[in-house]
């Protein structure tokens, strides 16, 4: 099993920045990709970004150029640097980890998908 814990959410003004952190523990060797989702009230959960164990990154168009996913493999930690934040970025952000099936679109569901508890990001004046 893999346990994920997110931190770094909070209140930020439009145009501001925030960095989220996700720390994984347990059987992390069973996973090969980690990523970030978000979900706003009344909306479906959105896949924002993923990073593979090799360091390859993928982004949804809604955050490309503003958000950056990175990792510290030695500490089993993944980050999401969020810049130029907009009110529509307000949501609960979730870290996830699992196994990506080779040859499929990067958005495809993961095998053995694990989730963190979520951290709330509010972008408001």
């Amino acid at each position: 099993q893999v346990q994920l814990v997110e931190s770094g959410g909070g209140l930020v003004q439009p145009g501001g920045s925030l960095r989220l952190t996700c720390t994984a523990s347990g059987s992390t060797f069973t996973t090969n990709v980690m990523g970030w989702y978000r979900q706003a009230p009344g909306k479906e959960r959105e896949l924002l970004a993923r990073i593979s164990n090799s360091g390859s990154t993928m982004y949804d168009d809604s955050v490309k150029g503003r958000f950056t996913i990175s990792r510290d493999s030695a500490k089993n930690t993944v980050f999401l640097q969020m810049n130029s934040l907009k009110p529509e970025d307000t949501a609960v952000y979730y870290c996830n980890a699992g196994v990506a099936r080779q040859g499929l679109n990067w958005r495809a569901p993961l095998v053995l998908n694990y989730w963190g508890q979520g951290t709330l990001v509010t972008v408001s004046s």
Side-chain angles (χ1 to χ4, degrees):
Q1 291 186 308
V2 175
Q3 297 80 43
L4 305 174
V5 179
E6 304 102 329
S7 62
L11 175 64
V12 64
Q13 294 186 353
S17 298
L18 210 59
R19 189 173 84 155
L20 306 183
T21 299
C22 174
T23 300
S25 61
S27 302
T28 57
F29 60 87
T30 64
T31 66
N32 64 6
V33 64
M34 297 183 68
W36 291 93
Y37 286 77
R38 70 184 179 191
Q39 187 168 26
K43 297 183 64 178
E44 294 185 354
R45 185 179 60 189
E46 302 174 284
L47 173 60
L48 302 179
R50 280 178 172 159
I51 185 167
S52 71
N53 287 353
S54 67
S56 298
T57 58
M58 295 74 69
Y59 297 94
D60 184 79
D61 287 342
S62 66
V63 302
K64 189 177 298 182
R66 298 190 298 125
F67 292 9
T68 301
I69 188 170
S70 61
R71 64 179 173 86
D72 183 341
S73 297
K75 297 182 178 180
N76 292 316
T77 300
V78 172
F79 307 94
L80 186 67
Q81 178 66 46
M82 305 185 295
N83 299 326
S84 302
L85 284 164
K86 308 172 182 179
E88 51 263 43
D89 293 319
T90 296
V92 177
Y93 285 69
Y94 297 93
C95 179
N96 87 294
V99 176
R101 292 164 289 186
Q102 291 182 314
L104 299 181
N105 187 282
W106 75 273
R107 296 178 175 272
L110 305 180
V111 179
L112 300 176
N113 209 17
Y114 300 96
W115 298 93
Q117 81 287 354
T119 185
L120 177 63
V121 173
T122 302
V123 185
S124 176
S125 298

